[in-house]
Amino acid sequence: MTDTPTLIRERLAALEPELLELKDDSARHAGHAGAREGGGHFSVYIVAGRFSGVPVQRRHRMVYEALGPLMRREIHALALTTCAPEEIDGPQRRKGTG
């Protein structure tokens, strides 16, 4: 069985991110109702050209749509930071995946 972080990365690849950083915060929420039921807590930082000119609320919907059924069980909580490439400059602009 594929682990949840790998599934998240695979599904978010559909947004063609220039940068994707994923952090599993589940350990900080041990004992929480969602954790007991198997859902993880994750933070995502994603930079994608598809976010250019798109309001933040719509960007978040795009991420939720890409994650699809993972939002029903594997993911209990998701903190999102979504940026278009032109919104990032200087040392904040990194290439690759984290």
Side-chain angles (χ1 to χ4, degrees), residues 4-97:
T4 301
T6 299
L7 292 171
I8 292 171
R9 288 180 190 284
E10 288 173 354
R11 290 193 168 261
L12 292 180
L15 298 174
E16 301 173 339
E18 290 185 18
L19 174 68
L20 174 60
E21 294 179 358
L22 174 64
K23 183 177 171 190
D24 187 343
D25 299 319
S26 300
R28 293 184 5 199
H29 300 276
H32 183 273
R36 285 193 302 268
E37 296 168 7
H41 290 68
F42 298 92
S43 297
V44 170
Y45 175 77
I46 183 171
V47 178
R50 291 189 179 198
F51 296 149
S52 294
V54 177
V56 173
Q57 186 177 23
R58 176 64 187 134
R59 293 175 185 183
H60 287 205
R61 280 196 304 264
M62 291 167 69
V63 170
Y64 296 138
E65 289 167 5
L67 294 173
L70 295 178
M71 293 300 299
R72 293 191 193 108
R73 174 142 173 85
E74 288 85 357
I75 301 171
H76 173 72
L78 185 64
L80 292 175
T81 303
T82 56
C83 300
E86 63 272 11
E87 296 168 346
I88 307 301
D89 54 67
Q92 290 179 321
R93 187 173 180 105
R94 302 173 296 237
K95 288 285 184 181
T97 59

